[in-house]
CSV table of all heavy atoms in Angstrom, one decimal:
chain,number,residue,atom,x,y,z
A,304,VAL,N,97.9,-83.4,43.5
A,304,VAL,CA,97.2,-84.6,43.0
A,304,VAL,C,96.0,-84.9,43.8
A,304,VAL,O,94.9,-85.2,43.3
A,304,VAL,CB,98.2,-85.7,42.8
A,304,VAL,CG1,97.6,-87.0,42.5
A,304,VAL,CG2,99.3,-85.4,41.7
A,305,PRO,N,96.2,-85.1,45.2
A,305,PRO,CA,95.0,-85.4,46.0
A,305,PRO,C,93.9,-84.3,45.9
A,305,PRO,O,92.7,-84.7,45.8
A,305,PRO,CB,95.5,-85.3,47.4
A,305,PRO,CG,97.0,-85.7,47.3
A,305,PRO,CD,97.4,-85.0,46.0
A,306,ILE,N,94.3,-83.0,45.7
A,306,ILE,CA,93.2,-82.0,45.6
A,306,ILE,C,92.5,-82.2,44.2
A,306,ILE,O,91.3,-82.0,44.2
A,306,ILE,CB,93.9,-80.6,45.7
A,306,ILE,CG1,94.3,-80.4,47.2
A,306,ILE,CG2,92.9,-79.5,45.3
A,306,ILE,CD1,95.0,-79.1,47.5
A,307,ALA,N,93.2,-82.5,43.2
A,307,ALA,CA,92.6,-82.7,41.9
A,307,ALA,C,91.6,-83.9,42.0
A,307,ALA,O,90.5,-83.8,41.5
A,307,ALA,CB,93.7,-83.0,40.8
A,308,ALA,N,92.0,-85.0,42.7
A,308,ALA,CA,91.1,-86.1,42.9
A,308,ALA,C,89.9,-85.7,43.6
A,308,ALA,O,88.7,-86.1,43.3
A,308,ALA,CB,91.9,-87.3,43.6
A,309,GLY,N,90.1,-84.9,44.7
A,309,GLY,CA,88.9,-84.4,45.5
A,309,GLY,C,88.0,-83.6,44.7
A,309,GLY,O,86.7,-83.8,44.7
A,310,LEU,N,88.5,-82.7,43.8
A,310,LEU,CA,87.7,-81.9,43.0
A,310,LEU,C,86.9,-82.7,41.9
A,310,LEU,O,85.7,-82.5,41.6
A,310,LEU,CB,88.5,-80.8,42.2
A,310,LEU,CG,87.7,-79.9,41.3
A,310,LEU,CD1,86.6,-79.1,42.0
A,310,LEU,CD2,88.7,-78.9,40.6
A,311,ALA,N,87.6,-83.7,41.5
A,311,ALA,CA,86.9,-84.7,40.5
A,311,ALA,C,85.7,-85.4,41.1
A,311,ALA,O,84.7,-85.5,40.5
A,311,ALA,CB,87.9,-85.7,39.9
A,312,VAL,N,85.9,-85.8,42.3
A,312,VAL,CA,84.7,-86.4,43.0
A,312,VAL,C,83.6,-85.4,43.3
A,312,VAL,O,82.4,-85.7,43.1
A,312,VAL,CB,85.2,-87.0,44.4
A,312,VAL,CG1,84.0,-87.5,45.2
A,312,VAL,CG2,86.2,-88.1,44.2
A,313,VAL,N,83.9,-84.1,43.6
A,313,VAL,CA,82.9,-83.2,43.7
A,313,VAL,C,82.2,-83.0,42.4
A,313,VAL,O,80.9,-82.9,42.4
A,313,VAL,CB,83.5,-81.8,44.2
A,313,VAL,CG1,82.4,-80.7,44.0
A,313,VAL,CG2,84.0,-81.9,45.6
A,314,THR,N,82.9,-83.0,41.3
A,314,THR,CA,82.3,-82.9,40.0
A,314,THR,C,81.4,-84.0,39.6
A,314,THR,O,80.3,-83.9,39.1
A,314,THR,CB,83.3,-82.7,38.9
A,314,THR,OG1,84.2,-81.6,39.3
A,314,THR,CG2,82.8,-82.4,37.6
A,315,ILE,N,81.8,-85.2,40.0
A,315,ILE,CA,81.0,-86.4,39.8
A,315,ILE,C,79.7,-86.3,40.6
A,315,ILE,O,78.6,-86.6,40.1
A,315,ILE,CB,81.7,-87.7,40.1
A,315,ILE,CG1,82.9,-87.9,39.1
A,315,ILE,CG2,80.8,-88.9,40.1
A,315,ILE,CD1,83.8,-89.1,39.5
A,316,GLY,N,79.8,-85.9,41.8
A,316,GLY,CA,78.5,-85.6,42.7
A,316,GLY,C,77.7,-84.6,42.0
A,316,GLY,O,76.4,-84.8,41.9
Side-chain angles (χ1 to χ4, degrees):
V304 173
I306 289 174
L310 179 59
V312 176
V313 171
T314 305
I315 292 172

